[in-house]
């Protein structure tokens, strides 16, 4: 794979008219191959003058006539980086979502991806649930189950995870997650409930049973979102592809 090339990862997951949908893609960041898949959170900067924000990858597809590779993401900003600014009602781990989905070509999305997030200090910092009992395989199975059942309508990510493993890429590198406010509250409650539990039962399956989430990262940053805002300048970004705003993931027989 050429350093500046893009390619789909895993099998297609849906067809609809001229569009074929995928679960992940591979690109290069600072000379190293990286894979982003549906449901992943990552840091981006939409223009050099914009603040760093968080993107959640929600849809990937190819327009077969023009061979365009496209993506749809949800963006999350810190309250202080929105027009209204931060106020006393905002929580310390809160981010606010842009009201409209952001559709850009993959070649433009990868230019937005930001690798230096050292100055990003927000979010609940907590270690992953220990997994002495089940080991790495049990941990990944819990994450896979969560991803398939909660994030992506039951899509099978085994082929994508295998590609990530073959690259030497690990879910431990995913260090930011944005939850809904109810999920965040359940997660905080779960952390309190397991504080004094013996390490032998502190598995991700146990956390999931308590209403938590499977967290594999070494130093995860957990944030939540409960509100949206209209971004004043995003619509002016030349990378935005408004002509594809009605594209949605196929359902029923069109899913592969």
């Amino acid at each position: 794979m050429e350093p500046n090339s893009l390619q789909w990862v895993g099998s297609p997951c849906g067809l609809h008219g001229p569009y074929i949908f995928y679960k992940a893609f591979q690109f290069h960041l600072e000379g190293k191959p990286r894979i982003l898949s549906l449901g992943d959170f990552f840091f981006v900067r939409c223009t050099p003058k914009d603040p760093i924000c968080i993107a959640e990858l929600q849809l990937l597809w190819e327009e077969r006539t023009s061979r365009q590779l496209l993506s749809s993401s949800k963006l999350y900003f810190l309250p202080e980086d929105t027009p209204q600014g931060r106020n006393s009602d905002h929580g310390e781990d809160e981010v606010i979502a842009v009201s409209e989905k952001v559709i850009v070509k993959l070649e433009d999305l990868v230019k937005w991806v930001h690798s230096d997030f050292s100055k990003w200090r927000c979010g609940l910092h907590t270690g992953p649930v220990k997994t002495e009992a089940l080991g790495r395989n049990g941990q990944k199975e819990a994450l896979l189950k969560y991803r398939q059942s909660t994030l992506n309508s039951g899509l099978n990510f085994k082929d994508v995870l295998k590609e990530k493993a073959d690259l030497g890429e690990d879910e431990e590198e995913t260090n930011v997650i944005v939850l809904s406010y109810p999920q965040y509250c359940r997660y905080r409650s779960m952390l309190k409930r397991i504080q004094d539990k013996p390490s032998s039962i502190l598995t991700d399956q146990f956390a999931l049973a308590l209403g938590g989430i499977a967290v594999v990262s070494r130093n995860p940053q957990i944030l939540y979102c409960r509100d949206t805002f209209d971004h004043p300048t995003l619509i002016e970004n030349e990378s935005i592809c408004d002509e594809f705003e009605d594209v949605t993931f196929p359902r029923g027989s069109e899913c592969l």
Side-chain angles (χ1 to χ4, degrees):
M1 181 179 177
E2 296 297 323
N4 294 322
S5 64
L6 298 163
Q7 69 180 34
W8 298 121
V9 174
S11 58
C13 57
L15 294 169
H16 182 67
Y19 309 126
I20 181 167
F21 295 85
Y22 290 87
K23 295 170 287 191
F25 72 99
Q26 182 178 331
F27 67 107
H28 280 77
L29 182 63
E30 298 181 345
K32 297 180 180 180
R34 182 178 175 184
I35 293 174
L36 286 176
S37 55
L38 298 180
D40 281 354
F41 295 92
F42 51 101
F43 292 101
V44 298
R45 194 192 294 271
C46 303
T47 72
K49 295 181 179 180
D50 285 335
I52 296 176
C53 65
I54 298 168
E56 177 187 1
L57 190 59
Q58 296 187 322
L59 202 62
L60 290 168
W61 74 98
E62 180 175 337
E63 206 286 323
R64 288 182 284 181
T65 304
S66 62
R67 306 294 294 179
Q68 290 189 86
L69 311 185
L70 297 145
S71 67
S72 178
S73 302
K74 179 180 286 189
L75 299 184
Y76 302 90
F77 286 82
L78 294 172
E80 53 265 37
D81 293 328
T82 65
Q84 293 75 27
R86 180 179 287 275
N87 60 51
S88 58
D89 293 330
H90 292 129
E92 61 180 349
D93 301 325
E94 186 169 2
V95 288
I96 303 177
V98 175
S99 54
E100 298 294 331
K101 58 188 176 183
V102 176
I103 298 173
V104 297
K105 296 177 183 178
L106 284 190
E107 62 189 74
D108 291 323
L109 181 65
V110 299
K111 294 175 184 176
W112 290 9
V113 177
H114 199 72
S115 59
D116 182 13
F117 43 83
S118 58
K119 294 182 180 179
W120 184 278
R121 303 298 184 188
C122 301
L124 173 65
H125 291 259
T126 176
V129 175
K130 296 179 181 180
T131 56
E132 283 88 344
L134 296 180
R136 299 288 303 170
N137 290 335
Q139 208 174 19
K140 286 190 177 294
E141 287 170 4
L143 178 63
L144 181 63
K145 181 179 179 181
Y146 168 73
R147 184 189 290 267
Q148 292 180 187
S149 64
T150 307
L151 296 178
N152 296 307
S153 304
L155 294 179
N156 189 325
F157 277 81
K158 289 183 179 179
D159 52 352
V160 174
L161 292 178
K162 182 180 183 302
E163 292 283 350
K164 286 188 174 185
D166 290 344
L167 272 185
E169 187 172 324
D170 202 294
E171 293 290 345
E172 290 185 356
E173 300 303 321
T174 304
N175 64 338
V176 62
I177 300 174
V178 180
L179 305 176
S180 68
Y181 187 56
Q183 284 178 321
Y184 174 82
C185 292
R186 289 197 299 271
Y187 185 70
R188 292 294 296 259
S189 175
M190 181 272 296
L191 289 179
K192 287 189 175 183
R193 293 179 66 182
I194 66 175
Q195 272 183 341
D196 300 320
K197 300 294 182 183
S199 61
S200 60
I201 66 169
L202 293 186
T203 65
D204 280 306
Q205 282 85 347
F206 182 74
L208 288 167
L210 291 178
I213 59 172
V215 176
V216 187
S217 308
R218 291 189 185 96
N219 298 295
Q221 295 168 275
I222 310 295
L223 300 111
Y224 68 88
C225 178
R226 56 179 174 176
D227 202 0
T228 63
F229 76 103
D230 295 326
H231 196 289
T233 61
L234 196 57
I235 192 64
E236 301 170 7
N237 192 306
E238 295 180 356
S239 299
I240 303 297
C241 301
D242 283 339
E243 65 269 29
F244 296 105
E245 63 181 357
D246 294 328
V247 174
T248 58
F249 188 76
R251 302 297 176 185
S253 60
E254 294 176 309
C255 295
L256 299 179

